[in-house]
Amino acid sequence: MTQKDDLLEKIKDEILALTDSPLYNERIKNNNFPVIGQGNHSAAIMLIGEAPGKNEAKTGRPFCGTAGKILDELLASTGIKREDVYITNIVKDRPPFNRDPLPEEIAIYGPFLDRQIEIIQPQIIATLGRYAMNYIMEKFGLNNELKPISDNHGKVFPVSAKYGSITIIPLYHPAAAIYNQKLKKTLRIDFAVLNRFKN
Ligand code: URA
């Protein structure tokens, strides 16, 4: 185990014991797992979604349902391997009925995401959907650039992290393309931007 593995394992243990979370009882009641994250612990690219859905909470793995299939297609279209990136969400437990995460849920899980970023130290953070975009853009001082995702998707924002210069790229959420082929094409074009930063 590397030091990074240990630190990420510690986050997992803390989230497993997070009885303060408003989503903890839901997890236990439904025999669900928290979804911590998956992938390369030294990835150059980190993808951040919103919260686990049903399949993710059953397996503990991010993006393994319908949206995950689209994400896999998008990654394949860029030639980036899923195992080379790190995939996680802001909220680590499934909100009931897949409703949007509440501010108090983002507040309780956000610090774990902050720690994951500092441990993995990605060069690129690609956000999937508006919740991840808002959280990450605010965290990295891009408040003045915060616009609807329809304006910001595919744009490249250079910022300073504690560990150096990095790039934020807001992307639409893959689930938005489930019934919208036009948006899928846009996502494919936006994902191609990631190609410049492959490991
Ligand atoms: N949607 C998300 O935002 N994250 C997942 O892990 C799955 C679906």
Side-chain angles (χ1 to χ4, degrees), residues 44 76 87 120 153:
I87 306 176
I120 294 166
H153 71 91

Side-chain angles (χ1 to χ4, degrees), residues 6-22:
D6 282 343
L7 292 168
L8 290 167
E9 194 66 23
K10 187 161 181 300
I11 290 178
K12 181 178 175 185
D13 291 343
E14 286 177 40
I15 293 175
L16 278 167
L18 197 64
T19 50
D20 284 350
S21 165

Side-chain angles (χ1 to χ4, degrees), residues 45-51 62-63 67-68 70-72 74-75 82 85-91 101 113 125-137 149 153-154 168-176 183 187 190-191 194:
I45 300 173
M46 182 185 270
L47 299 173
I48 303 174
E50 185 176 309
F63 284 94
I70 296 176
L71 178 61
D72 287 345
L74 290 163
L75 286 171
R82 183 168 168 137
V85 302
Y86 190 84
I87 306 176
T88 187
N89 291 301
I90 315 179
V91 169
L113 175 62
I125 297 181
T127 57
L128 304 173
R130 67 195 161 100
Y131 284 94
M133 175 185 78
N134 291 344
Y135 183 84
I136 290 295
M137 288 187 71
I149 194 155
H153 71 91
I168 310 288
I169 307 176
L171 301 169
Y172 279 114
H173 195 289
L183 220 137
L187 263 164
D190 290 348
F191 262 70
L194 296 177

Side-chain angles (χ1 to χ4, degrees), residues 14-70:
E14 286 177 40
I15 293 175
L16 278 167
L18 197 64
T19 50
D20 284 350
S21 165
L23 297 174
Y24 179 82
N25 287 339
E26 283 289 319
R27 185 210 298 165
I28 301 301
K29 189 176 79 192
N30 296 305
N31 270 326
N32 281 344
F33 292 102
V35 177
I36 312 300
Q38 187 183 41
N40 184 334
H41 292 177
S42 298
I45 300 173
M46 182 185 270
L47 299 173
I48 303 174
E50 185 176 309
K54 192 172 180 187
N55 290 293
E56 288 77 19
K58 281 289 162 226
T59 58
R61 291 190 294 116
F63 284 94
C64 64
T66 316
K69 240 192 197 156
I70 296 176

